[in-house]
């Protein structure tokens, strides 16, 4: 039986996963090693860590939540990759209290910068975990997507507040502490010493399309996935994406 939640999950992660898998493949070819060392900061229950481990890589997940790490352990065991996934409790600020500095080929920093007190410091730690030739996968909430969503819901004052607020928040009830533009994220990546390899908009349309349409219209899911993939690389759509994904590379990796 197919998992009814899988289509929705694929809409949220397909673009990021395609970019990440390609980056992993390129690192494998560049290093000559079939198994890479991957760090997933804030990796939670393993939405990316477990699929990455299924490709044969060794993944260390750092997350502050014991419950998330317990779910990660169970998920990894069910997927048959428990020997390639290690979960440790910690956060971006104290990253090197729990993992090795400069010990990873690829670092995932997904859904982290929104919550840390100092995004530049958090990203700097993630970059410091990379080997001299390494790749960073950065995923963060996009400002434009939140403004558009509030406006389409009829909350025009909140949309304007999010647009004007320095952290992109639409009000006191906003559960997201901080949002970013593509320019802000690429500036952070460059300031951390990495070359910006690619920028993608994530969930450009998926959060705006009525669920009933995707679930009931024949072929709608595949068509929407293809539309998301086509729009993801176009800068014009970065401004309205729910999330933004930036791929950064160390200069030695970019030159390889």
């Amino acid at each position: 039986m197919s998992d009814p939640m899988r289509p929705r999950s694929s809409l949220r992660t397909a673009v990021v996963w395609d970019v990440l898998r390609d980056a992993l493949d390129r690192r494998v070819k560049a290093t000559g090693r079939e198994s890479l060392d991957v760090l997933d900061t804030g990796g939670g229950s393993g939405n990316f860590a477990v699929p990455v481990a299924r490709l044969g890589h060794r993944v260390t997940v750092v997350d502050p939540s014991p419950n998330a790490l317990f779910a990660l352990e169970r998920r990894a065991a069910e997927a048959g990759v428990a020997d390639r996934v290690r979960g440790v409790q910690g956060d971006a600020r104290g990253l090197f209290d729990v993992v090795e500095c400069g010990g990873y080929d690829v670092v995932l920093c997904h859904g982290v910068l929104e919550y840390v007190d100092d995004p530049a410091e958090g990203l700097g730690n993630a970059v410091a975990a990379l080997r001299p030739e390494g790749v960073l996968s950065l995923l963060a909430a996009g400002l434009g997507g939140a403004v558009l969503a509030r406006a389409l819901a009829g909350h025009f004052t909140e949309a304007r507040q999010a647009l004007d607020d320095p952290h992109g928040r639409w009000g006191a009830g906003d559960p997201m502490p901080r949002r970013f533009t593509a320019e802000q994220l690429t500036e952070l990546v460059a300031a951390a010493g990495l070359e910006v390899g690619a920028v993608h908009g994530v969930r450009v349309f998926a959060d705006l399309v009525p669920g009933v349409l995707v679930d009931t219209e024949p072929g709608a899911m595949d068509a929407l996935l293809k539309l998301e993939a086509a729009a993801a690389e176009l800068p014009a759509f970065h401004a309205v994406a729910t999330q933004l994904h930036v791929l950064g590379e160390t200069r030695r990796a970019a030159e390889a």
Side-chain angles (χ1 to χ4, degrees):
M1 178 180 294
S2 62
D3 182 353
M5 295 303 293
R6 184 168 183 176
R8 293 311 180 101
S9 176
S10 65
L11 274 175
R12 292 192 295 270
T13 62
V15 169
V16 179
W17 176 243
D18 287 346
V19 175
L20 178 59
R21 184 168 53 189
D22 179 66
L24 289 166
D25 289 344
R26 286 188 284 109
R27 280 286 83 212
V28 165
K29 291 177 182 178
T31 62
R33 292 183 282 112
E34 292 186 0
S35 182
L36 302 175
D37 294 306
V38 179
L39 174 65
D40 189 353
T41 63
S45 60
N47 287 340
F48 283 93
V50 170
V52 168
R54 292 181 70 175
L55 294 177
H57 305 300
R58 297 176 294 272
V59 187
T60 298
V61 175
V62 176
D63 197 277
S65 168
N67 290 337
L69 293 174
F70 177 77
L72 167 71
E73 183 179 357
R74 182 177 59 196
R75 191 174 193 170
E78 291 173 351
V81 294
D83 60 326
R84 293 196 293 274
V85 176
R86 180 174 72 101
V88 293
Q89 190 172 0
D91 57 29
R93 186 171 187 178
L95 188 61
F96 301 118
D97 293 336
V98 293
V99 300
E100 177 187 359
C101 181
Y104 298 89
D105 301 291
V106 178
V107 172
L108 279 57
C109 186
H110 295 175
V112 173
L113 296 193
E114 299 94 324
Y115 298 95
V116 296
D117 292 333
D118 185 342
E121 179 188 34
L123 184 61
N125 283 347
V127 172
L130 287 170
R131 288 174 173 153
E133 295 184 8
V135 173
L136 171 79
S137 174
L138 174 64
L139 182 67
L143 169 62
V147 173
L148 184 61
R150 300 315 290 175
L152 291 178
H155 303 301
F156 306 121
T157 300
E158 291 179 349
R160 177 60 187 269
Q161 182 164 338
L163 193 61
D164 293 339
D165 185 82
H167 291 156
R169 289 171 54 80
W170 48 256
D174 191 343
M176 186 66 67
R178 187 183 288 108
R179 295 182 177 88
F180 301 87
T181 64
E183 291 75 18
Q184 288 171 332
L185 288 179
T186 55
E187 287 173 4
L188 281 169
V189 170
L194 297 184
E195 300 284 346
V196 176
V199 181
H200 291 84
V202 181
R203 291 157 60 189
V204 174
F205 306 103
D207 291 351
L208 304 176
V209 175
V212 64
L213 174 62
V214 177
D215 294 337
T216 61
E217 187 72 19
M221 175 62 68
D222 287 340
L224 183 53
L225 282 167
K226 291 176 181 177
L227 178 61
E228 288 279 352
E233 294 186 48
L234 301 177
F237 291 99
H238 296 169
V240 294
T242 299
Q243 293 178 303
L244 295 162
H245 183 250
V246 179
L247 197 70
E249 299 178 300
T250 62
R251 288 185 169 83
R252 285 177 58 175
E255 293 167 358

